[in-house]
Amino acid sequence: MTKTEQIASLYSQFVIPTYASPSRALVKGKGTRVWDAEGHVYLDFIAGIAVSNVGHCHPKVVAAIRDQAGTLMHVSNLFYTELQGRLAEKLSALSLKGKCFFCNSGAEANEALIKLARLHGHARKRTEIISMTGSFHGRTLAALAATGQSKHQAGFEPMPKGFVHAPYNDLEAVRALVTDKTAAILVEAVQGEGGVIPADPAFLQGIRALCTERDILMLCDEVQCGLGRTGHWFGYQAAGIEPDAFSLAKALGSGLPIGAIVTSPRVADVFQPGKHGSTFGGNPVCVAASLAMLAVIEEENLVARASVAGARFQAGLQALVGNYEHVKAVRGAGLMLGLVLDQPAKPLVETLCGMGLISLATAESVVRFLPPLTVKDTEIDEALEIIEDAVAEWHGVARPQDEEG
Ligand SMILES: *Cc1c(COP(=O)(O)O)cnc(C)c1O
């Protein structure tokens, strides 16, 4: 039995199979690369699903975690910790200039946004949230109710009440759903799980105007597209607007579990003592990792780098579109890119993995790429070589340049 088979056997006996059985076990990561239990190396072009934005095991993040773990690993939120205050200050300064609440995951951050909207609308009996079809907001029940994909809800009905869905990028459809019961409109600036679909700037601007006009909260789910990935600190900034609050998780802890909501001053004090909470929220070790990660993004200028690296990667992917019949388009923003196929993406993703490149199949026919923002040009070029080899193999043809040479 190989090491991988031994691990797979443990999973098949003891781990609830919420994920399809992987064929590899990972044991180590550094920068853009990860190693499996059999000693193979991969370019991790999903960064642990938009988590390892500063690469795997960045030395400054590792040092901050080690330090804090040996100083104070946990305290209850019945006490202050300086680090939590400093992280809230930093996130606020980068965005809405209000306040933050810390939790442990993306779903939990969206639950907090939903509770904030309900509490804010409560006195006026405004309870309903409008979210978008194709959206993904997490697996807890209210986040699932907000999620606009019925495949994730199937079997868990009845869904919590108070959620309606409008087609993404269709402002008139959103407007048509607004009633005097509407508490908030929740939207991703780039839909990730939905197939790497950016919002039209005019769509976000239109929602902002509609929310202001009707006194509704505009909420953004920045769990996947936030923290530099799109070439902006936060995805909504591309549209030049500000939501009333937004959620973060994934990249926020650089690999440790932490989520947050960030609010504007207007709704910063909607939650009063006793109205919400979390045992681990703002855990000092996770917060130390977050602060170190944010410092790395600033020191290494990674927000701007995401645009430049993304443009290079996107251009390389775009070159496949004309040359291979089943590759239809490239879309996304910064280092959040999707290769749109006219067939299921899973077989190509598996081929890519066998060739040493990790990607993700999304929305059936999209190959999603989310490399670390620290990805080097040489690594992008290496990935593009692998992608073209895999795409050619998947089409059952030789690469055009191979024929010429
Ligand atoms: C991943 C994701 C979530 C859920 O985050 P978890 O930490 O898995 O709960 C929510 N919203 C978006 C946009 C996501 O990509």
Side-chain angles (χ1 to χ4, degrees):
M1 248 215 250
T2 64
K3 186 75 197 170
T4 306
E5 285 163 350
Q6 288 170 30
I7 297 168
S9 152
L10 281 176
Y11 268 64
S12 72
Q13 294 175 82
F14 302 117
V15 179
I16 293 174
T18 53
Y19 288 85
S21 299
S23 42
R24 292 166 184 84
L26 298 183
V27 295
K28 193 176 99 171
K30 190 170 194 303
T32 309
R33 290 180 207 268
V34 290
W35 283 260
D36 74 12
E38 309 305 320
H40 302 118
V41 59
Y42 303 84
L43 280 170
D44 181 4
F45 264 48
I46 61 172
I49 317 193
V51 168
S52 307
N53 277 13
V54 299
H56 289 277
C57 299
H58 192 290
K60 291 195 171 159
V61 175
V62 172
I65 291 169
R66 286 209 165 112
D67 260 19
Q68 189 56 43
T71 306
L72 183 63
M73 215 181 290
H74 172 77
V75 285
S76 71
N77 279 306
L78 307 178
F79 295 88
Y80 291 133
T81 58
E82 183 179 354
L83 290 179
Q84 183 176 151
R86 280 178 39 212
L87 181 60
E89 177 187 35
K90 183 73 194 165
L91 292 172
S92 299
L94 288 170
S95 60
L96 305 180
K97 315 286 188 280
K99 294 182 182 175
C100 301
F101 168 82
F102 295 104
C103 53
N104 312 284
S105 69
E108 249 187 272
N110 287 327
E111 293 278 335
L113 283 184
I114 292 162
K115 284 182 71 176
L116 177 84
R118 289 256 179 108
L119 195 57
H120 181 254
H122 193 257
R124 294 173 300 157
K125 298 199 164 42
R126 292 187 172 205
T127 55
E128 205 165 79
I129 315 270
I130 301 174
S131 60
M132 305 304 143
T133 51
S135 62
F136 185 81
H137 299 298
R139 301 286 191 163
T140 56
L141 273 171
L144 200 56
T147 291
Q149 300 187 58
S150 53
K151 69 172 182 196
H152 293 307
Q153 297 169 346
F156 300 109
E157 301 88 349
M159 282 292 115
K161 290 200 181 83
F163 296 87
V164 292
H165 300 98
Y168 191 55
N169 276 330
D170 185 341
L171 183 60
E172 287 321 305
V174 174
R175 191 190 305 278
L177 285 178
V178 170
T179 68
D180 56 13
K181 295 253 171 305
T182 307
I185 300 176
L186 172 64
V187 62
E188 292 159 89
V190 182
Q191 284 191 343
E193 313 291 320
V196 197
I197 309 174
D200 297 333
F203 180 60
L204 295 182
Q205 291 154 5
I207 290 178
R208 176 66 275 175
L210 180 61
C211 286
T212 303
E213 178 194 316
R214 304 287 298 265
D215 194 17
I216 295 164
L217 296 185
M218 179 175 184
L219 307 176
C220 286
D221 180 340
E222 291 276 338
V223 170
Q224 188 161 155
C225 63
L227 295 167
R229 177 145 297 279
T230 64
H232 299 270
W233 269 109
F234 304 104
Y236 65 78
Q237 290 169 337
I241 54 109
E242 286 190 342
D244 296 293
F246 64 91
S247 54
L248 290 173
K250 292 203 161 90
L252 185 59
S254 214
L256 296 194
I258 176 169
I261 67 166
V262 185
T263 73
S264 66
R266 187 162 82 93
V267 290
D269 294 317
V270 169
F271 283 131
Q272 286 293 308
K275 282 299 186 192
H276 199 45
S278 166
T279 297
F280 288 122
N283 168 277
V285 180
C286 299
V287 167
S290 286
L291 284 165
M293 175 276 296
L294 292 169
V296 168
I297 290 190
E298 287 185 329
E299 285 158 18
E300 300 184 16
N301 210 3
L302 294 178
V303 179
R305 173 64 193 157
S307 291
V308 174
R312 182 186 191 93
F313 190 29
Q314 182 157 13
L317 292 173
Q318 191 66 43
L320 302 174
V321 173
N323 282 337
Y324 295 93
E325 140 183 40
H326 300 302
V327 179
K328 293 301 174 195
V330 181
R331 66 183 175 220
L335 284 170
M336 184 170 182
L337 294 173
L339 191 65
V340 184
L341 311 175
D342 65 0
Q343 333 232 320
K346 271 228 168 70
L348 180 57
V349 165
E350 197 39 55
T351 302
L352 285 167
C353 197
M355 291 179 168
L357 181 74
I358 299 176
S359 62
L360 252 175
T362 303
E364 291 299 321
S365 58
V366 180
V367 184
R368 182 168 34 151
F369 297 104
L370 305 155
L373 314 186
T374 48
V375 68
K376 299 187 183 82
D377 284 350
T378 51
E379 292 166 337
I380 291 174
D381 297 347
E382 194 184 330
L384 286 167
E385 283 293 314
I386 296 171
I387 294 164
E388 177 145 22
D389 282 342
V391 165
E393 184 180 311
W394 183 65
H395 277 74
V397 300
R399 287 175 56 168
Q401 55 266 55
D402 294 347
E403 281 167 7
E404 287 155 23

